[in-house]
Amino acid sequence: MPDPNADARAHAHARRDDQPEETRRALLSRTFDEDAELYDRARPGYPPELYDDLADLAGARPGRRVLEIGCGTGQATVPLAALGCRITAVEAGPRMAAIARRNLAEAEAEAGPGAGAGAVSAEVVTAEFENWPLPAEPFDVVLAATAFHWIDPVVRVTRAADALRPGGALAVVRNQHVRGGTEEFFVEVQRCYERFDPATRPGMRPPEAGEVDNSDHTEEIERSGRFGETVFRRYTWDLTYTTAEYLDVLRTYSGHRALPDAARNGLLACVAGLIDGHYGGRVTKRYLIELAASHRS
């Protein structure tokens, strides 16, 4: 007799979107800087409630010193700086770092003189976190927003702990595509991936939000012996894209960028034809955003 729970268990133990193969991690992490302007235009930010929980669970409040690992073009940096956090952001990609500085400067100009608690206080350092010399003064918060999985797993937790004051918090934000939105599109589009990306496993489907396992992060934090209990918050977020917008998002994904040109172009054309031909030129994708906060012992 078929096991009715087999599909759920398979999803719960499937590779997450944010678990790159270690042999390709460094190579894939460098693809984002190839077209930083596209990344800045296409990548979404984060839901407002995330920032409320960053304040409540991790202490990311006005005046607190925050070290952000892998800030990209500033998707989380700019909102946190506008809230009054004092941010040092470390970004390995020089093009990404330059755009993050530009976005912060624009936010500061918009805030204007006399902005008070909303004034922007942030600097962006172009460096790899693994090799960046930690400053003598410890931070109140170390934040990695959709970036922790790109840092060398041998050192990422211990260096985060070294950067924090006792009682300071490591806050890790993760992102997973889950079932919802335009569900049938994400079933049908697998045929495009199976045709053009040989690494695609047949019959893949986005998991339900409740099936997504985060025990890997808990166990990694526990193994370090440097932190107390990890507390999680989860948010589901539906974003609707036009065909062109969705293709832009796909072009920022490391796995798509790493495909040979012919395969990537064929894949994108297949996806575009499906959206335009069957879904009226618009699809909705459901994201699961997870915040994990752990306080240094």
Side-chain angles (χ1 to χ4, degrees), residues 13-194:
H13 295 90
R15 178 178 291 276
R16 293 178 55 113
D17 294 343
D18 57 2
Q19 289 180 330
E21 295 178 3
E22 183 55 28
T23 57
R24 304 181 70 207
R25 175 183 52 79
L27 175 65
L28 292 175
S29 70
R30 291 192 285 269
T31 64
F32 304 111
D33 202 53
E34 294 170 354
D35 194 342
E37 292 287 356
L38 173 65
Y39 188 99
D40 186 55
R41 182 175 74 248
R43 283 294 182 105
Y46 298 96
E49 55 265 40
L50 170 70
Y51 298 100
D52 294 335
D53 284 337
L54 277 171
D56 292 341
L57 298 181
R61 301 186 184 95
R64 297 291 177 87
R65 298 184 71 245
V66 177
L67 170 61
E68 185 180 3
I69 305 170
C71 70
T73 59
Q75 280 78 3
T77 323
V78 172
L80 279 174
L83 291 173
C85 294
R86 298 161 54 206
I87 301 176
T88 299
V90 179
E91 170 54 51
R95 297 179 184 89
M96 304 274 273
I99 295 175
R101 294 186 192 102
R102 182 187 73 195
N103 290 339
L104 285 162
E106 290 174 356
E108 184 173 18
E110 290 176 6
V120 173
S121 175
E123 65 169 337
V124 179
V125 179
T126 305
E128 294 182 347
F129 174 66
E130 294 93 330
N131 305 314
W132 180 61
L134 296 176
E137 184 181 358
F139 292 88
D140 300 301
V141 181
V142 171
L143 167 68
T146 323
F148 204 59
H149 54 290
W150 296 119
I151 307 301
D152 185 348
V154 174
V155 301
R156 60 193 177 198
V157 175
T158 54
R159 277 187 63 80
D162 290 344
L164 285 165
R165 62 169 173 79
L170 169 62
V172 174
V173 180
R174 304 173 78 181
N175 193 335
Q176 174 81 23
H177 176 201
V178 295
R179 192 172 300 172
T182 313
E183 289 194 32
E184 188 59 29
F185 164 74
F186 292 105
V187 173
E188 291 192 68
V189 79
Q190 283 305 117
R191 291 197 293 272
C192 296
Y193 284 89
E194 290 170 15

